[in-house]
Amino acid sequence: MWKQIPGLRQISQRTISTASRRQLGNRVPEKQKLFQEDNGIPVYLKGGVMDSLLYRLTMGLTAFGTAYVVYELLVASMPKKQK
Amino acid sequence: MAHQAHPFCMLNPNPWPISGAVAALLTTSGLAMWFHYNTLQPLALGLISMILVMLQWWRDIIRESTFQGHHTLPVQKGLRYGMILFITSEVFFFLGFFWAFFHSSLAPTPELGGQWPPTGIKPMNPMEVPLLNTAILLASGVTVTWAHHSITEGARKQAIQALSLTVLLGAYFKALQAMEYYEAPFSIADSVYGSTFFIATGFHGLHVIIGSSFLLICLLRLINFHFTPNHHFGFEAAAWYWHFVDVIWLFLYMTIYWWGS
């Protein structure tokens, strides 16, 4: 029975498949290659499609928010008509 | 491709400073509007845009440093100065609230019954949960230092264990403090005792949340191989901030919880 244990240990050490090993391993070199590509794209958009979606969402919210808050502040600063 | 002949980080123009400023405007005006007109929308908009800006700005800093290599030694030196100055400004922030506490507690007015704690206030026992919270934060200071040593020695597994333990201790502190807030026999409205207690400990709690979020991000970066034994300033900045949060708690505990009870 004791002779089976080294074999079992080998199996438990080899359970990670190639796909998940790529996820668990060091992906920094891939990222370095992606972000150092000489394509003129600024760093805040260089990661891909998600970057431009997030950027547009943020800009949209802040542009709308600026207009909204300036309007609300103007309304709040106007004197209310007393009856 | 042209290479720079200087060691400084020349940033791409980016929208985060202006949108961060707008987010601050929305949050502050939104807070005022929530207080006075009971509307939540501007505040919610402000908080959401603040979170979006923080995520993207700090994501870009990680890209500029770990992925593009812009954080040379002179750049790192500037970042160190910056973090130290920021923490110093936070120290002054808390100094104000400690001043307020001592102003009211060293010479209690007749309206309070001429005593501190004021008449009718039942303070928390400093030897119960507050003492446990002190032990938790002190222990987390030890574990974050252990994590740092592990990083500089290249001991990856130990570093992950130590930093995870630090984050867990932070979560334990937050949970206990939330429970204490819920169970407290006095509220923020209970005279200047309640005001000074909850404002000082409340802002400290907010800083614990900020600090442990920073440490959690560092843990994720550590797991993803972002740090090297010689270059891990993000982690050092988080560790400095965490020690600052710990020291503020020690002062809070000694003055408000213990001396003030």
Side-chain angles (χ1 to χ4, degrees):
Chain A
M1 185 196 78
W2 300 106
K3 284 194 186 154
Q4 285 176 329
I5 290 176
L8 282 169
R9 202 201 305 153
Q10 270 186 339
I11 293 170
S12 68
Q13 277 176 348
R14 258 196 289 133
T15 43
I16 302 174
S17 71
T18 0
S20 42
R21 189 187 291 142
R22 212 187 321 127
Q23 269 195 331
L24 294 170
N26 189 349
R27 284 163 67 222
V28 171
E30 294 167 29
K31 295 277 189 177
Q32 285 171 333
K33 193 157 164 267
L34 171 68
F35 287 103
Q36 288 178 34
E37 217 182 296
D38 194 6
N39 49 26
I41 302 177
V43 74
Y44 63 97
L45 295 171
K46 215 165 167 121
V49 176
M50 266 310 288
D51 284 7
S52 31
L53 285 175
L54 265 175
Y55 166 72
R56 275 183 241 177
L57 172 66
T58 312
M59 288 301 111
L61 284 177
T62 48
F64 168 73
T66 311
Y68 177 45
V69 88
V70 166
Y71 165 75
E72 287 282 3
L73 286 171
L74 279 170
V75 164
S77 53
M78 288 297 143
K80 282 211 174 71
K81 285 204 183 103
Q82 301 281 338
K83 274 200 178 151
Chain B
M1 178 168 122
H3 288 88
Q4 65 187 42
H6 61 78
F8 302 108
C9 177
M10 302 310 290
L11 297 171
N12 301 136
N14 72 84
W16 310 133
I18 185 88
S19 33
V22 171
L25 169 66
L26 285 175
T27 309
T28 46
S29 314
L31 202 63
M33 276 181 217
W34 180 47
F35 289 160
H36 292 279
Y37 304 116
N38 203 19
T39 56
L40 263 177
Q41 290 91 324
L43 179 59
L45 198 55
L47 289 172
I48 290 169
S49 42
M50 210 166 83
I51 289 172
L52 280 170
V53 169
M54 288 194 292
L55 281 174
Q56 291 173 97
W57 198 337
W58 288 327
R59 172 207 70 190
D60 288 352
I61 293 176
I62 294 174
R63 289 177 177 180
E64 286 151 12
S65 56
T66 308
F67 305 146
Q68 293 182 332
H70 283 295
H71 285 198
T72 57
L73 276 172
V75 170
Q76 246 199 81
K77 196 167 162 207
L79 290 170
R80 284 173 195 274
Y81 274 124
M83 192 65 194
I84 287 175
L85 287 170
F86 173 63
I87 292 177
T88 308
S89 75
E90 296 250 75
V91 167
F92 281 103
F93 179 71
F94 277 97
L95 216 63
F97 296 124
F98 278 104
W99 186 335
F101 169 73
F102 282 116
H103 174 95
S104 300
S105 59
L106 283 168
T109 61
E111 289 87 352
L112 303 173
Q115 63 180 40
W116 193 275
T119 315
I121 295 279
K122 192 172 159 286
M124 295 176 183
N125 186 346
M127 295 303 154
E128 289 178 0
V129 175
L131 185 59
L132 173 59
N133 273 341
T134 307
I136 289 168
L137 283 184
L138 286 172
S140 70
V142 169
T143 53
V144 80
T145 307
W146 172 27
H148 192 191
H149 283 258
S150 307
I151 290 173
T152 51
E153 287 159 19
R156 176 183 158 79
K157 214 161 138 195
Q158 257 196 77
I160 292 173
Q161 279 174 356
L163 190 47
S164 306
L165 201 48
T166 313
V167 171
L168 282 169
L169 286 167
Y172 190 22
F173 177 92
K174 286 183 282 188
L176 284 171
Q177 196 68 331
M179 185 209 72
E180 282 282 274
Y181 266 36
Y182 187 71
E183 302 278 338
F186 55 85
S187 78
I188 197 172
D190 285 319
S191 80
V192 75
Y193 183 90
S195 304
T196 50
F197 180 90
F198 283 107
I199 291 290
T201 60
F203 271 116
H204 175 261
L206 177 64
H207 285 70
V208 171
I209 292 168
I210 294 168
S212 47
S213 306
F214 196 174
L215 286 169
L216 183 62
I217 300 287
C218 285
L219 176 59
L220 294 172
R221 292 187 67 198
L222 177 62
I223 291 169
N224 282 309
F225 299 89
H226 286 202
F227 299 135
T228 71
N230 289 319
H231 191 168
H232 44 264
F233 176 65
F235 172 81
E236 287 181 68
W240 290 350
Y241 197 80
W242 192 250
H243 287 306
F244 150 74
V245 159
D246 188 8
V247 168
I248 294 291
W249 171 261
L250 293 174
F251 279 103
L252 276 176
Y253 181 72
M254 289 189 294
T255 56
I256 296 181
Y257 281 94
W258 199 350
W259 177 85
S261 69

